[in-house]
Amino acid sequence: MVDDCRDITGSDEIPLTQELLSQMLGVARTGVTMSAGALQRSGLIRYSRGRITILDREALSDASCECYRIVKQEFDQFLKS
């Protein structure tokens, strides 16, 4: 999700609240808190009060599921058509 937002905004700083992320993902805010904390402890992002900063985009992409890469590849291919 963070990679998708980065692609859209073109910035490594993304204004996203836990509430909005939980709604977008269909999970409880506690799940967002736990996941953001894990990504932050891994040094992939910095998260504070409604702002996510991507610190290591390549590692973040590697940590994401293969769905992101597949969807991005398909979307990029669609835009070339």
Side-chain angles (χ1 to χ4, degrees):
M1 179 62 62
V2 173
D3 265 347
D4 292 333
C5 292
R6 197 274 176 215
D7 290 342
I8 292 167
T9 64
S11 173
D12 286 335
E13 289 197 22
I14 306 158
L16 283 174
T17 63
Q18 287 182 343
E19 181 67 26
L20 180 58
L21 277 171
S22 71
Q23 290 174 359
M24 291 169 71
L25 297 170
V27 299
R29 283 180 59 187
T30 55
V32 172
T33 301
M34 291 172 52
S35 297
L39 293 171
Q40 187 162 253
R41 285 188 299 280
S42 297
L44 305 178
I45 67 167
R46 182 174 48 245
Y47 185 77
S48 77
R49 202 141 180 105
R51 181 161 304 278
I52 297 173
T53 303
I54 299 172
L55 302 175
D56 188 339
R57 182 167 190 209
E58 186 173 329
L60 182 62
S61 182
D62 289 344
S64 66
C65 73
E66 66 277 357
C67 343
Y68 168 73
R69 288 180 284 283
I70 292 168
V71 170
K72 179 163 177 31
Q73 182 180 7
E74 291 296 318
F75 187 73
D76 290 346
Q77 199 62 10
F78 174 76
L79 289 179
K80 289 181 184 177
S81 302

